[in-house]
Amino acid sequence: MVPLEYLLRFIQEDAPFGDLTSEAVIPEDMKAKAIIIAKASGIIAGVEEARALFEHFGVSVDVKKRDGEEVKKGDIILELEGNARAILLVERTALNVMGRMSGIATEVRRLVEKVKAVNPKVRVAGTRKTLLRQIDKRAILIGGGEPHRFSLSDAILIKDNHLALVPLEEAIKRAKEFSLYKVVEVEVESLEDALRAAKAGADVVMLDNMNPVEISRTLEALKREGLRDRVKIEVSGGITPENIEEYARLDIDVISLGHLTHSVKNFDVSLEIIGRA
């Protein structure tokens, strides 16, 4: 679960000096019952985060649908009971978190199923193209995808701007000497550089912005040189839900795409007060 301390920052941002409307209109000791319902069909996510937020403010939560479950429009996800002001204070933050996470999880599940139908061994991964990192990475996991790097501290990924400063072979050598425990991945944009990276000892070669024909030629060259089995192959750049199956048919290991987080459609969830408790 995303840490509660991280989630509480959103409450603080939303109500830095309290919930003015609720404090003005709702009696302090009033109790209420409420439900959170799905307004669309898909994969629900963010349930545990919403539960933690409501419980932190003393609201009782009965979970009806768990993270990763498929829901239909109209399904009840959570039943709530507690202080009315507390429910209304948490409402928008909980819905925002659930809406974004469910949108990501739903899209990830859809693309994972498309890819697995073509090539069961290929995994679908996100990228770091997001500011809501903890929320988005957990949503990707719930949807059945790979989160990729969580932060710059997680893994070694040598990119074009690193190689603009340090030659490819030297960069890999330095990375290998730096840590025995971290996977070394190198981003390349040509067949020649893919061969160089594999020969220099990269653990993962990312073929960036290469079309399926270029990738196929690169894979064939790696096989001819006896290098394909030494490295994992990731493809990224220019991959969309419309063309992802073309890439999945290739002899690759991972497809990563920023679409999962930077172009996600929010999943519609709603909180409804159903009466006093």
Side-chain angles (χ1 to χ4, degrees):
M1 191 191 83
V2 173
L4 178 61
E5 295 76 13
Y6 180 87
L7 299 169
L8 288 173
R9 290 163 45 197
F10 298 121
I11 299 286
Q12 176 60 32
E13 183 182 80
D14 198 32
F17 305 106
D19 176 359
L20 186 61
T21 305
S22 293
E23 290 169 14
V25 173
I26 306 297
E28 186 175 2
D29 59 352
M30 182 176 286
K31 305 292 184 183
K33 293 182 179 180
I35 55 173
I36 292 180
I37 63 173
K39 303 298 287 293
S41 298
I43 304 303
I44 200 67
V47 175
E48 284 303 303
E49 285 70 20
R51 179 193 59 77
L53 280 169
F54 281 113
E55 289 183 346
H56 177 77
F57 289 94
V59 176
S60 297
V61 181
D62 185 4
V63 175
K64 298 299 182 182
K65 296 289 184 179
R66 300 196 175 276
D67 287 321
E69 285 190 41
E70 188 169 347
V71 299
K72 293 181 171 58
K73 183 178 180 179
D75 283 351
I76 296 174
I77 302 164
L78 298 174
E79 292 182 350
L80 311 169
E81 184 173 335
N83 182 273
R85 288 188 183 181
I87 291 173
L88 295 171
L89 173 69
V90 177
E91 174 185 6
R92 179 40 54 195
T93 296
L95 295 179
N96 284 349
V97 170
M98 291 179 68
R100 181 168 178 84
M101 289 182 69
S102 298
I104 292 171
T106 297
E107 182 66 354
V108 170
R109 183 72 58 86
R110 183 175 78 91
L111 294 185
V112 165
E113 289 176 353
K114 286 183 74 170
V115 166
K116 294 297 184 186
V118 174
N119 189 343
K121 80 165 193 172
V122 176
R123 301 187 179 192
V124 175
T127 70
R128 287 176 51 251
K129 293 178 180 178
T130 173
L131 288 175
L132 299 174
R133 197 160 302 153
Q134 297 194 48
I135 286 173
D136 290 357
K137 294 293 188 181
R138 177 162 148 74
I140 290 171
L141 283 168
I142 290 171
E146 292 279 338
H148 213 290
R149 289 190 300 170
F150 186 84
S151 71
L152 290 172
S153 304
D154 285 348
I156 297 172
L157 174 49
I158 301 168
K159 296 172 69 70
D160 55 350
N161 282 333
H162 300 106
L163 298 177
L165 300 168
V166 180
L168 188 149
E169 287 82 3
E170 181 185 344
I172 294 173
K173 179 176 181 294
R174 291 172 67 89
K176 290 282 189 178
E177 290 173 349
F178 182 79
S179 174
L180 294 174
Y181 299 100
K182 295 292 186 182
V183 168
V184 176
E185 181 170 4
V186 183
E187 177 186 278
V188 301
E189 296 186 356
S190 69
L191 183 157
E192 293 75 21
D193 284 347
L195 290 174
R196 289 172 61 201
K199 288 176 181 178
D203 300 298
V204 182
V205 175
M206 178 195 288
L207 306 180
D208 189 42
N209 288 310
M210 295 172 67
N211 64 45
V213 172
E214 293 171 324
I215 293 170
S216 292
R217 290 172 180 161
T218 301
L219 293 169
E220 290 169 6
L222 288 168
K223 288 174 184 175
R224 283 197 305 271
E225 297 286 337
L227 298 169
R228 174 62 183 96
D229 291 338
R230 292 190 198 176
V231 295
K232 296 290 186 185
I233 298 295
E234 176 179 344
V235 300
S236 189
I239 301 170
T240 68
E242 292 70 37
N243 66 19
I244 194 169
E245 289 164 304
E246 296 178 47
Y247 291 87
R249 292 188 182 96
L250 303 171
D251 178 27
I252 59 175
D253 300 290
V254 183
I255 297 172
S256 61
L257 57 168
H259 163 82
L260 298 179
T261 51
H262 69 53
S263 300
V264 66
K265 181 181 178 181
N266 202 61
F267 186 91
D268 195 5
V269 285
S270 176
L271 184 149
E272 297 180 4
I273 298 290
I274 58 175
R276 296 186 184 185

